[in-house]
């Protein structure tokens, strides 16, 4: 029997001494290459440097779906940067529902002046906080007290004979 060049020498010698023919399974016993999938775990490889904590938190907020809510909170917290110092002293964001940001102003004069500046303020909000989802801005002045509390209300003008 002739030795096959594909078999390791020890296996070929064993088969020759036993008088056996090498089978198709014996021919497959080649050394396999180590997989290179674990290159990220090797020391001194690219990508092994520690990542900044801010990047890890950004990735966590993106994966958890918190980006929109955090942008809304940041918009309210940084209202002075968006509107300006003097404007922020006379106005404050009160609600953000369905893409409409409602701003409560100290007086109707401030509400009217801010309505003239609506495009500028909306541009500032969308460029600084695009994930907040603000599509429109509504400015309201001081209102009379509301007699409606809670989800169930009765139509009418409110209590008329309560105060005597």
């Amino acid at each position: 029997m002739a030795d096959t060049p594909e078999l390791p020498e020890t296996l070929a010698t064993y088969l020759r001494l036993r008088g056996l023919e090498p089978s198709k399974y014996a021919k497959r016993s080649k050394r396999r290459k180590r997989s290179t999938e674990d290159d990220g775990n090797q020391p001194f490889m690219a990508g092994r440097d520690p990542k900044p904590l801010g990047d890890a938190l950004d990735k966590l907020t993106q994966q958890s779906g918190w980006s929109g809510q955090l942008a809304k909170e940041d918009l309210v917290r940084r209202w002075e940067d968006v509107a300006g110092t003097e404007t922020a002293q006379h106005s404050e964001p009160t609600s953000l529902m369905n893409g409409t940001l409602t701003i409560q102003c100290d007086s109707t004069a401030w509400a009217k002046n801010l309505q003239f500046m609506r495009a500028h303020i909306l541009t500032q909000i969308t460029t600084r906080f695009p994930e907040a989802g603000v599509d429109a801005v509504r400015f309201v002045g001081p209102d009379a007290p509301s007699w409606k509390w809670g989800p169930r209300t009765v139509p009418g003008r409110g209590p008329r004979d309560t105060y005597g």
Side-chain angles (χ1 to χ4, degrees):
M1 278 199 293
D3 292 328
T4 58
E6 299 171 357
L7 292 175
E9 185 180 345
T10 54
L11 185 59
T13 306
Y14 172 76
L15 291 174
R16 190 176 55 242
L17 292 175
R18 295 279 296 177
L20 299 173
E21 218 31 63
S23 68
K24 61 179 179 178
Y25 301 109
K27 291 181 182 178
R28 262 193 342 162
S29 63
K30 294 181 182 179
R31 281 195 168 179
R32 293 184 182 170
K33 287 186 176 181
R34 288 184 77 180
S35 66
T36 57
E37 295 174 14
D38 233 7
D39 282 343
N41 292 332
Q42 299 296 324
F44 307 111
M45 297 296 291
R48 294 278 299 171
D49 294 332
K51 306 279 188 291
L53 183 61
D55 291 347
L57 289 176
D58 286 342
K59 186 176 179 181
L60 175 68
T61 57
Q62 289 290 334
Q63 289 174 346
S64 301
W66 300 336
S67 299
Q69 183 64 30
L70 289 175
K72 291 174 187 177
E73 298 290 335
D74 203 22
L75 168 62
V76 172
R77 189 177 59 83
R78 299 178 66 196
W79 173 244
E80 186 175 340
D81 295 340
V82 174
T85 307
E86 186 177 356
T87 305
Q89 289 174 354
H90 297 282
S91 64
E92 64 176 324
T94 55
S95 70
L96 177 56
M97 298 180 89
N98 300 329
T100 302
L101 177 66
T102 304
I103 308 294
Q104 179 77 42
C105 299
D106 288 348
S107 66
T108 55
W110 271 102
K112 192 63 173 174
N113 284 333
L114 289 179
Q115 285 177 3
F116 293 134
M117 297 173 48
R118 178 190 319 262
H120 175 69
I121 291 175
L122 187 59
T123 304
Q124 289 290 321
I125 292 170
T126 54
T127 55
R128 291 184 184 196
F129 307 101
E131 293 179 351
V134 177
D135 299 327
V137 181
R138 181 175 161 241
F139 300 99
V140 294
D143 288 332
S146 172
W147 295 105
K148 297 183 178 186
W149 298 98
R152 297 184 190 103
T153 59
V154 176
R157 293 184 356 214
R160 287 179 290 284
D161 61 349
T162 305
Y163 299 111

